[in-house]
């Protein structure tokens, strides 16, 4: 994507591009104990420390965060060899994924609402020729498999449909809200237009931040106001990330990234909510897997792992032993923290700088 660059605003090399404040990646990385180096000069840059690896591509709004692709709201820019990143993306995507404990609103998850996409007169994607495959069939079969596995893992599970019935979109998150579900998971399978059959791999969507366009929009919708889902937006992002990571790592599939969209079923959810596009029915290899019960069982198992990993991140702090009758807690020596960006002890050393860069 070509950017209309209008540089020259701030002394600290910050810039204002297409209505967004951009900051030098090198400055932000330095303030957070990350070293940056080119993977491909002028094109692709990495920011790393012993526990974290971020990769950004010039003009791209997909970043790699610890091995998983994540959509940014605005493309990174290259100003004469300096990679710039939108402050909006640092605030809404990068930092929440690197510092989850600062952003999560911890809550115990008892009930999970599964939403098999489409149903009844709404077939969803239809792919085939001699025999037509309907998306609605496979979303339901995956949901029933996932329900059984989640119950075995100790969760209560409710479904927006258990048969081939039509359910209005607003009724789906409404059910989750009414039952006080802790998570909402909408299940879908993808399709491309003819001639793009090579596209494959899962995509996991969560709500778009206020002020940004969705991943599936052409820059449109940035003026969209806040939805109910934006109240727990950071939880949803971290949930989506754990699911995408579990799918990619456990199934060995192509990573089509964590993405943002204001899908109707996501907007009204009061709990962390995601929509999984579990793969492409238009890809010859992937479609065979989607239609195969053994593969769907493996996919369900991967989703359960992602949910359990999110639950660990999201565990209420009350599970920790009480502070009384314990000696005062000493800060760990530099380099021993398990926090992803605190290994060099450089986080927060300069409050003024932190305010600017974080
Ligand atoms: Zn669908």
């Amino acid at each position: 994507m070509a950017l209309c660059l209008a540089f020259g605003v701030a002394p600290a090399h910050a810039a204002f591009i297409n209505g967004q404040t951009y900051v030098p990646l090198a400055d932000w990385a330095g303030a957070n104990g990350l070293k940056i180096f080119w993977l491909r000069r002028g094109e692709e840059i990495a920011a790393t420390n012993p526990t974290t690896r971020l990769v950004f591509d010039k003009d791209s709004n997909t970043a790699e965060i610890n091995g998983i692709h994540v959509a940014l709201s605005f493309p990174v820019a290259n100003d004469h060899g300096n990679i710039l990143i939108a402050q909006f993306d640092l605030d809404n995507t990068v930092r929440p994924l690197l510092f989850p404990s600062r952003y999560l609103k911890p809550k115990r998850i008892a009930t999970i609402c599964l939403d098999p996409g489409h149903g009844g007169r709404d077939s969803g994607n239809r792919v085939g020729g001699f025999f037509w495959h309907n998306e609605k069939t496979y979303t339901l079969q995956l949901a029933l498999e996932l329900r059984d596995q989640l119950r075995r893992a100790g969760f209560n599970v409710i479904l927006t449909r258990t048969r081939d019935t039509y359910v209005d979109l607003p009724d789906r998150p409404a059910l989750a809200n009414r039952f006080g579900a802790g998570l909402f998971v909408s299940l879908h399978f993808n399709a491309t237009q003819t001639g793009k059959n090579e596209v494959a791999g899962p995509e996991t969507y969560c709500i778009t931040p206020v002020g940004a366009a969705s991943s599936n929009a052409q820059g449109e919708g940035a003026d969209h106001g806040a939805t109910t889902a934006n109240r727990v937006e950071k939880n949803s992002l971290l949930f989506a990330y754990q699911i995408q990571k579990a799918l990619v790592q456990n199934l060995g599939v192509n990573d089509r990234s964590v993405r943002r969209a204001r899908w109707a079923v996501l907007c009204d959810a009061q709990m962390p909510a995601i929509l999984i596009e579990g793969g492409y029915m238009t890809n010859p290899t992937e479609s065979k897997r989607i239609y195969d019960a053994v593969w769907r069982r493996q996919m369900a198992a991967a989703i359960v792992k992602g949910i359990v990993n999110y639950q660990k991140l999201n565990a209420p702090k009350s599970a920790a032993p009480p502070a009384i009758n314990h000696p005062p807690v000493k800060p760990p020596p530099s380099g021993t923290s398990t926090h992803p960006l605190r290994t060099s002890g450089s986080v927060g050393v300069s409050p003024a700088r932190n305010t600017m860069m974080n």
Side-chain angles (χ1 to χ4, degrees):
M1 185 188 300
L3 280 175
C4 173
L5 301 181
F7 293 105
V9 181
H13 314 293
F16 204 61
I17 305 170
N18 291 344
Q20 290 299 315
T21 301
Y22 273 67
V23 297
L25 181 67
D27 290 2
W28 180 81
N32 287 282
L34 294 154
K35 288 200 172 73
I36 64 165
F37 55 90
W38 290 107
L39 297 172
R40 283 181 295 132
R41 181 158 290 281
E43 297 291 327
E44 188 175 38
I45 197 163
T48 66
N49 72 14
T51 57
T52 303
R53 178 183 162 91
L54 312 176
V55 180
F56 301 94
D57 289 298
K58 184 186 76 146
D59 296 341
S60 168
N61 45 14
T62 301
E64 197 185 302
I65 299 184
N66 290 327
I68 298 300
H69 292 130
V70 179
L72 302 174
S73 296
F74 301 97
V76 299
N78 184 346
D79 173 28
H80 303 100
N82 287 318
I83 289 289
L84 304 176
I85 182 166
Q87 185 68 47
F88 186 97
D89 283 313
L90 292 174
D91 294 342
N92 291 288
T93 300
V94 178
R95 297 185 72 245
L97 290 173
L98 296 183
F99 305 105
S101 62
R102 297 188 200 170
Y103 291 86
L104 281 174
K105 295 173 187 159
K107 199 173 179 188
R108 198 177 79 85
I109 299 155
T111 301
I112 298 172
C113 181
L114 300 181
D115 174 42
H118 314 281
R121 65 176 188 264
D122 172 14
S123 306
N125 290 311
R126 276 170 61 76
V127 174
F130 179 72
F131 180 84
W132 286 94
H133 294 274
N134 294 322
E135 181 189 353
K136 65 174 183 178
T137 309
Y138 302 106
T139 60
L140 179 58
Q141 289 180 0
L142 176 63
L144 295 174
E145 174 64 38
L146 183 53
R147 173 191 65 183
D148 294 348
Q149 292 194 24
L150 283 170
R151 283 182 176 161
R152 286 201 289 276
F155 295 99
N156 298 324
V157 182
I158 54 173
L159 287 95
T160 57
R161 67 180 178 98
T162 53
R163 291 175 293 115
D164 182 18
T165 47
Y166 180 82
V167 182
D168 273 328
L169 293 180
D171 292 346
R172 296 168 185 250
L175 181 88
N177 293 343
R178 196 160 67 244
F179 279 81
L183 297 174
F184 179 84
V185 181
S186 192
L187 300 167
H188 290 254
F189 291 103
N190 230 328
T192 53
Q193 66 220 64
T194 340
K196 293 210 170 183
N197 289 358
E198 74 282 3
V199 180
E203 303 168 359
T204 307
Y205 287 84
C206 57
I207 195 72
T208 313
V210 177
S214 296
S215 308
N216 54 351
Q218 304 296 319
E220 293 146 20
D223 54 353
H224 198 289
T227 67
T228 302
N230 287 108
R231 291 184 212 153
V232 286
E233 177 190 313
K234 306 294 194 292
N235 288 57
S236 293
L237 170 66
L238 282 149
F239 181 29
Y241 181 89
Q242 290 300 331
I243 294 295
Q244 184 71 10
K245 181 175 155 187
L247 290 170
V248 169
Q249 292 185 347
N250 288 285
L251 301 176
V253 286
N254 181 44
D255 177 8
R256 293 268 305 166
S257 95
V258 172
R259 293 165 182 239
R260 307 291 198 135
R262 296 183 181 97
W263 298 119
V265 292
L266 296 186
C267 287
D268 294 332
Q270 293 166 357
M271 68 294 300
I274 59 167
L275 185 148
I276 302 170
E277 293 278 6
Y280 278 78
M281 293 168 64
T282 39
N283 180 278
T285 309
E286 199 156 64
S287 62
K288 285 198 194 81
R289 292 170 172 171
I290 292 166
Y291 309 152
D292 174 20
V294 175
W295 176 261
R296 287 196 304 270
R297 199 175 307 142
Q298 291 167 358
M299 176 171 281
I303 295 171
V304 172
K305 281 186 187 169
I307 288 174
V308 168
N309 288 339
Y310 172 74
Q311 189 192 30
K312 284 180 193 157
L313 270 183
N314 194 47
K317 296 290 173 277
S318 59
I324 50 166
N325 299 329
H326 285 270
V329 178
K330 285 182 192 158
S334 176
T336 60
S337 168
T338 55
H339 202 288
L341 280 187
R342 282 190 183 164
T343 50
S344 70
S346 60
V347 170
V349 288
S350 158
R353 195 166 189 203
N354 243 10
T355 310
M356 268 189 64
M357 304 317 303
N358 291 327

